[in-house]
Amino acid sequence: MSTPSPTPETEQTDTHAGRAMTAPILPGTGHSPMAGEGLTRVIAIMCFLASVALGAWMAVGQAANNWTLNLAQSLTLQLKPNAEMAADEQMATALEILKKAPGVVEATPVSDTRAASLLEPWLGDSTIIATLPLPKLVEIKLASSGSDVSALASQLTAAIPGAVLDDHSRWNNRLARFAGALRWLAFAVLALIVTASAMIVVFATRADMASNHEIIEVLHLIGAEDRFIAGQFQKHFQWIALWASLMGIGAAAIVFLAMGQISAFNVDPDTQGLLPTLAYRPELYSALFLIPVLTVVTAALTARQTVLRVLKEVM
Amino acid sequence: MSDGFGQGKFRSPPINAIVKFESVHMAYGKGADVLRDISFELSPGDFRFLTGPSGAGKTTLLKLLYLAQRPTQGQIKLFGNTLSQTPRQELPHLRRRIGVVFQEFRLIDHLTSFENVALPLRIAGKSLEEYRPDVVELLTWVGLGERIHEKPSALSGGEQQRVAIARAVVAKPDLLLADEPTGNVDPEMSIRLLRLFLELNKMGTTIVFATHDRYLVEAVGAPELHLTAGELDQKNMPPMPPASALGLQDTSDHPGESTL
């Protein structure tokens, strides 16, 4: 603008100039998403890691629940080949009992071909398996309540020679312990990463502040009040932290969605329940938004405290 | 021009002293005294050159005046406030009545000339609409009308200095402190800037002007605060200059007059 004093003709350009003339006192505040580039990167990366840790914690928890829940609500009845009762009769009696048993939702005989395919990895070619005297299997699904597994087991063994009811408790107990340990481990990792991230945000903010020492001093000497200066810095770092943390969790969300796409191709019925499909769980995304909130608060408080401490040391 | 630089007030009993130093000593850390037993007073409208060899304590004296340092001993009164008894939260209001031209300018690098100059007004809570005309006019007057959107890195040393001067005077301070404010500009501009200082002085601003430039000191003929090795000896009455030689009296037609 070359005209020193505003005249009616310059009114139009004034609007533009007006915007340019109220630049933030600190470099890059708010207007540029790439303000304080080093700090932005550090915060974005730490937020990404925290998001992944959060996702992992939730995934492990969910997977552990799936495993134990699936096992606890399912039973397997084995009908071993037996001289006293023919295989067909064994099966018919078993299905009859199961149909009347309280709490049983579904009882499905496992076909010979499926049984063979389950054994194939261990025994090889299914033509060999077909010649073996294999036990017949019945998969039983239970309702979440109302079943009495031990009563059912004694009823079945009394009525059918060679019947063995497997309630998976051996596996279930071990899995439950393992899942519990995994959950704690994932939580510990999450806690460590969140703590480390917060500390890094604090250190990075302070380091970035050091380069602004001259600005603090000049503002102070020309009569700015402490809370004005602290407010400027707080605003500045809030914006950086907000942008950076949104970038971090955005990147993490993309990774989660991509993983969801990959596991959607996994149609193998035997492993499907093992891998958690986190990608579309709303609670993950609402939890992710806690990360920017925490980051912004941490950065803002650090900036404010640092300015006030610096200013306390001068007259 | 009998009273242009406050010589009359210099001798009159300073009832409303703007600045009063009483036996002020100043040392950094555990070092020796940089200033020793400094006592003087300034009244509204006084103009003082602060002279003395390098290392005599000029910058330290200015630091005490612009409230960057507290004295190790003695008392300073500023605008009637005894500094040792003034609560810290009151100091910003005193600082806003003081304009400072720092020796190293201390402009904020990423702000334009306009924004740097506007800073004291912004801090005082004025809106852009209020201060824009004044800031633009002042920058034009110091010859930077074409450069108001330039950042300090794009300006020469002399231009940066003029921005620094404009920032110091923009809020029309009661006390203006300048550390070698004409050190980086050509003689013509230094006279122009001096005229700006004198103009402010006429309107009642008290000025302390640290300089090595004997030519300026003698041309203006204002009293000196002369420091030698941390001690003050006031050279009261240097010879009056031929004012017409500098054209200092002729201030009726410069464009800055309406705001300054």
Side-chain angles (χ1 to χ4, degrees):
Chain A
M1 200 162 103
S2 55
T3 8
S5 54
T7 60
E9 300 93 91
T10 61
E11 280 309 315
Q12 289 227 295
T13 54
D14 275 0
T15 330
H16 164 74
R19 226 174 290 130
M21 282 173 177
T22 45
I25 289 172
L26 294 169
T29 309
H31 294 229
S32 149
M34 292 311 286
E37 261 186 63
L39 183 62
T40 307
R41 275 184 215 145
V42 168
I43 293 180
I45 290 169
M46 291 321 290
C47 288
F48 175 78
L49 291 178
S51 305
V52 170
L54 181 71
W57 174 60
M58 293 179 77
V60 166
Q62 194 195 340
N65 280 343
N66 284 352
W67 299 335
T68 48
L69 206 70
N70 286 348
L71 280 179
Q73 291 185 0
S74 70
L75 300 171
T76 309
L77 178 62
Q78 269 187 57
L79 302 168
K80 291 181 185 164
N82 191 282
E84 293 171 41
M85 199 182 261
D88 289 349
E89 199 185 338
Q90 277 182 320
M91 180 62 79
T93 319
L95 292 177
E96 190 67 22
I97 293 170
L98 288 169
K99 201 189 266 179
K100 290 178 194 156
V104 174
V105 178
E106 210 182 308
T108 326
V110 177
S111 69
D112 287 348
T113 44
R114 186 158 140 71
S117 75
L118 285 174
L119 286 171
E120 205 181 273
W122 285 273
L123 299 178
D125 195 345
S126 54
T127 51
I128 299 170
I129 296 170
T131 64
L132 293 171
L134 290 175
K136 302 284 178 195
L137 299 174
V138 182
E139 278 180 359
I140 302 161
K141 287 217 166 87
L142 296 177
S144 47
S145 62
S147 57
D148 185 344
V149 176
S150 55
L152 182 61
S154 46
Q155 200 186 349
L156 285 166
T157 39
I160 309 162
V164 178
L165 186 66
D166 182 1
D167 65 357
H168 306 151
S169 62
R170 256 184 324 151
W171 297 107
N172 207 0
N173 291 341
R174 281 191 205 171
L175 253 182
R177 272 201 304 274
F178 176 65
L182 255 186
R183 241 181 249 161
W184 277 108
L185 181 67
F187 183 75
V189 169
L190 173 66
L192 284 175
I193 288 185
V194 167
T195 312
S197 303
M199 285 164 73
I200 286 173
V201 169
V202 169
F203 289 135
T205 305
R206 281 195 197 149
D208 208 86
M209 296 271 319
S211 63
N212 291 315
H213 221 278
E214 172 72 7
I215 298 178
I216 299 181
E217 219 173 300
V218 170
L219 289 174
H220 176 70
L221 286 177
I222 64 178
E225 283 162 339
D226 291 1
R227 59 164 189 266
F228 174 88
I229 304 175
Q232 295 291 322
F233 277 85
Q234 190 183 326
K235 246 190 286 173
H236 176 70
F237 285 99
Q238 265 169 6
W239 277 110
I240 292 179
L242 183 64
W243 273 111
S245 52
L246 287 177
M247 278 194 268
I249 68 164
I254 290 169
V255 169
F256 291 142
L257 288 171
M259 279 169 58
Q261 285 299 309
I262 291 167
S263 67
F265 289 115
N266 176 15
V267 287
D268 182 348
D270 293 323
T271 56
Q272 211 169 27
L274 289 176
L275 293 174
T277 47
L278 254 187
Y280 307 109
R281 296 179 66 91
E283 63 264 38
L284 170 66
Y285 295 98
S286 40
L288 276 188
F289 275 99
L290 281 177
I291 291 174
V293 172
L294 281 175
T295 311
V296 167
V297 169
T298 307
L301 283 181
T302 306
R304 190 175 187 86
Q305 288 301 313
T306 310
V307 174
L308 292 177
R309 212 182 41 233
V310 167
L311 287 172
K312 206 149 265 169
E313 283 161 18
V314 297
M315 180 179 172
Chain B
M1 192 160 173
S2 60
D3 205 4
F5 312 114
Q7 286 97 330
K9 284 171 187 159
F10 173 70
R11 281 191 183 137
S12 64
I15 303 156
N16 305 315
I18 270 200
V19 175
K20 188 170 182 180
F21 273 49
E22 285 172 35
S23 312
V24 168
H25 290 249
M26 177 66 199
Y28 293 102
K30 287 177 180 168
D33 279 359
V34 180
L35 293 175
R36 266 190 305 279
D37 199 21
I38 306 284
S39 300
F40 69 94
E41 290 182 15
L42 299 175
S43 301
D46 277 356
F47 191 119
R48 292 286 182 284
F49 282 111
L50 179 59
T51 56
S54 301
K58 296 194 293 293
T59 299
T60 300
L61 181 59
L62 289 175
K63 277 186 181 168
L64 291 173
L65 279 167
Y66 60 69
L67 309 183
Q69 298 282 347
R70 285 186 188 278
T72 35
Q73 238 187 78
Q75 206 169 63
I76 298 177
K77 277 190 180 176
L78 203 61
F79 311 121
N81 301 274
T82 305
L83 289 186
S84 55
Q85 292 160 16
T86 306
R88 193 177 176 282
Q89 65 266 29
E90 301 282 324
L91 296 179
H93 298 283
L94 298 184
R95 289 193 182 99
R96 286 179 200 174
R97 298 173 66 182
I98 306 170
V100 189
V101 185
F102 300 99
Q103 193 166 22
E104 63 281 27
F105 317 143
R106 309 191 78 162
L107 301 174
I108 293 179
D109 292 336
H110 68 277
L111 295 184
T112 63
S113 308
F114 178 91
E115 290 156 357
N116 266 294
V117 173
L119 211 46
L121 301 172
R122 216 167 135 184
I123 282 168
K126 293 222 167 90
S127 71
L128 177 65
E129 288 66 36
E130 283 177 84
Y131 63 67
R132 182 169 49 205
D134 287 356
V135 172
V136 171
E137 192 166 4
L138 181 56
L139 276 165
T140 307
W141 200 84
V142 297
L144 295 173
E146 305 290 325
R147 318 218 64 184
I148 65 172
H149 293 307
E150 298 285 357
K151 295 187 175 170
S153 55
L155 301 174
S156 71
E159 287 170 329
Q160 289 182 32
Q161 192 161 34
R162 282 180 270 157
V163 174
I165 291 171
R167 184 181 66 188
V169 305
V170 72
K172 304 183 182 81
D174 295 325
L175 174 61
L176 180 61
L177 309 168
D179 203 351
E180 298 277 353
T182 56
N184 284 280
V185 294
D186 56 53
E188 200 180 321
M189 185 44 82
S190 80
I191 288 168
R192 191 174 168 82
L193 292 175
L194 187 62
R195 258 171 63 180
L196 173 65
F197 284 87
L198 292 172
E199 198 62 33
L200 281 166
N201 181 235
K202 268 191 187 165
M203 296 176 69
T205 299
T206 303
I207 296 179
V208 178
F209 191 117
T211 185
H212 279 108
D213 190 341
R214 292 310 305 174
Y215 172 74
L216 279 183
V217 176
E218 271 154 33
V220 175
E224 282 175 58
L225 291 165
H226 186 81
L227 280 170
T228 316
E231 287 183 66
L232 200 61
D233 50 295
Q234 298 197 21
K235 291 187 179 176
N236 291 343
M237 285 298 110
M240 289 296 285
S244 57
L246 283 173
L248 294 175
Q249 277 183 306
D250 179 20
T251 53
S252 55
D253 61 349
H254 70 71
E257 195 173 53
S258 58
T259 45
L260 300 172

